[in-house]
Amino acid sequence: MVAPSTAPPTSAGLRRVVAASLVGTTIEWYDYFLYGSAAALVFGRVFFPESDPLTGTLLSFLTYAIGFVARPLGALVFGHFGDRLGRKKLLVVSLLVMGGASALIGCVPGYDAIGVAAPILLTTLRLVQGFALGGEWGGAVLLVSEHGEPERRGFWASWPQGGAPAGNLLAVGVLSLVTTLQSEASFTAWGWRIPFLLSAVLVGVGLWIRLSVDESPLFKEALAKAERRKAAQGSEQPPLLAVLRHHWRDVLVAIGARMAENISYYVITTFVLAYCVEHLKIEKQAALNAVLIGSAIQFCLIPVFGALSDRLGRKPVYLVGAVGVGGWAWAFFALLDTRSFPALVLAVTVGLVFHSAMYAPQAAFFSELFATRMRYSGASIGAQFASVAAGAPAPLIATALLSSYGDATPIAVYVTSAAVLTVIALAAARETRGCDLARVSRVSQVSPGAVGDPSDSDGTAGETAASSV
């Protein structure tokens, strides 16, 4: 095993990096999930008032899904420059872009004011949101993964993952507060805009915190080596091409691993609002509160599952979540159909517990698959291309299935099928727990026929090590 040449940061420094990543991802996910919740609750009436309620919700979810289309583009652009310029710079840009788009959504007039231009503007801003988020996730988890020690990487890297439930908690909490304080008419007319306009304030806080951290020391070392290679060889392969050449299997594993995680999450937290309010005629506040409670519990569980992956491995913990969510899909809708609030809370919470078992180790798992100079690109491409096939259409497909069949059985089949795909992907993956990111970097960055660093293993040993991760 080759020891990394970069010293680990102090405990205080690592905690500062973790806090900066968590706060930044929370704000970005707040903006992103706020749109999904608003699409389920109010966008159908504001931007598609000429349609019946279920069709209006379906059209709202279509604009919601379109945002996912831009996420792979964000992954490519941010990944490329993040691997060339550094993680921190691109994370600042993604935060500004996301916050600006969200604040502008709060200013878009409704259909009654400007007609078809309203949903067009809404969709355009949703695309900008997707572009920003496509670059956010990879940079945030890598900044922590590359600072932390291998033995506890699963735990530390899981904290930025906590930004998803924290952001959803914040988004649903603000919406819940607004709906409690306002009448239905006021909320539909203008109250829903308040949470989006709040994004401008939150971005200022996130920017101040994110600017306070330093770049990953592992990336600095890799950048210095890349500059020496470039000076000696005259050029360096672009990160995207390097990923497709050296890590295409890892990209496929990441895409497959995301299927159950992504689909289940958006069914449990976004589609559930439309299912409860439009189909079961449950009060909006009850549905929001159930997601609120489940998200709070999930936020607490994510670091627990992250730490568990350090002890048991990434794959076993991930598998528990995939198998669990595939089975729970059937109980989930059965509990919702009782129209009982305790049953609703139980359905959402247990679903998010199984989701946490997948989501918590995901950051460390994906980070450990790729070399440093292509890690931002590789992890982002794997994660965000999966989101187009998984998270993007999940509420849309679920709503269409409900509209066609009138019950949730086909939706449960849909979630279970996604779980099967994830189990297959994990079966094809190798365990990465405890791997040395610096060693992955050195092995993968040596191009065929080139001379490696003096600290590298010999070529044969290096290739064997690379295949093991």
Side-chain angles (χ1 to χ4, degrees), residues 28-289:
E28 295 229 20
W29 281 116
Y30 164 82
D31 290 336
Y32 205 73
F33 287 144
L34 181 61
Y35 189 103
S37 298
L41 297 174
V42 71
F43 280 177
R45 282 169 285 169
V46 175
F47 295 101
F48 305 100
E50 297 184 351
S51 304
D52 63 83
L54 192 57
T55 302
T57 301
L58 192 64
L59 292 172
S60 296
F61 279 146
L62 181 59
T63 67
Y64 165 82
I66 285 174
F68 285 79
V69 175
R71 285 170 66 167
L73 179 59
L76 292 173
V77 173
F78 281 85
H80 174 84
F81 288 103
D83 282 329
R84 289 295 179 92
L85 304 177
R87 286 67 166 116
K88 176 181 172 179
K89 294 183 179 69
L90 274 296
L91 285 174
V92 169
V93 173
S94 71
L95 185 62
L96 291 172
V97 173
M98 174 67 86
S102 298
L104 288 175
I105 287 174
C107 301
V108 175
Y111 185 91
D112 292 340
I114 59 174
V116 72
I120 291 175
L121 285 173
L122 181 71
T123 303
T124 301
L125 291 170
R126 179 61 177 174
L127 285 168
V128 175
Q129 277 192 324
F131 177 78
L133 191 65
E136 160 69 21
W137 180 85
V141 300
L142 295 187
L143 196 62
V144 176
S145 295
E146 292 177 350
H147 273 85
E149 66 275 16
E151 296 78 11
R152 302 191 68 196
R153 186 180 296 126
F155 171 73
W156 289 117
S158 70
W159 281 98
Q161 300 291 77
N168 199 29
L169 184 66
L170 186 59
V172 175
V174 172
L175 276 174
S176 181
L177 178 63
V178 173
T179 57
T180 300
L181 297 177
Q182 290 189 307
S183 66
E184 182 71 19
S186 296
F187 177 74
T188 302
W190 59 271
W192 65 268
R193 300 178 184 276
I194 296 173
F196 286 95
L197 296 173
L198 182 62
S199 297
V201 178
L202 295 177
V203 166
V205 175
L207 191 62
W208 174 68
I209 295 174
R210 188 159 276 183
L211 286 171
S212 68
V213 301
D214 197 11
E215 183 57 79
S216 154
L218 192 60
F219 174 79
K220 290 179 179 179
E221 179 191 7
L223 179 61
K225 294 187 178 211
E227 289 174 347
R228 291 199 298 270
R229 282 196 305 274
K230 185 175 180 180
Q233 301 173 9
S235 64
E236 183 185 14
Q237 194 174 37
L240 174 60
L241 296 180
V243 167
L244 297 179
R245 180 177 182 181
H246 300 290
H247 289 290
W248 62 270
R249 290 184 183 85
D250 300 318
V251 170
L252 292 179
V253 166
I255 290 174
R258 284 271 283 175
M259 299 305 290
E261 177 268 308
N262 224 216
I263 288 173
S264 65
Y265 189 77
Y266 289 105
V267 168
I268 293 168
T269 62
T270 301
F271 171 73
V272 69
L273 299 177
Y275 185 80
C276 289
V277 174
E278 301 294 344
H279 181 66
L280 299 179
K281 306 304 179 184
I282 295 174
E283 288 187 6
K284 182 188 306 177
Q285 195 63 45
L288 285 169
N289 288 343

Side-chain angles (χ1 to χ4, degrees), residues 285-299:
Q285 195 63 45
L288 285 169
N289 288 343
V291 176
L292 202 65
I293 293 168
S295 296
I297 293 173
Q298 184 184 28
F299 177 77

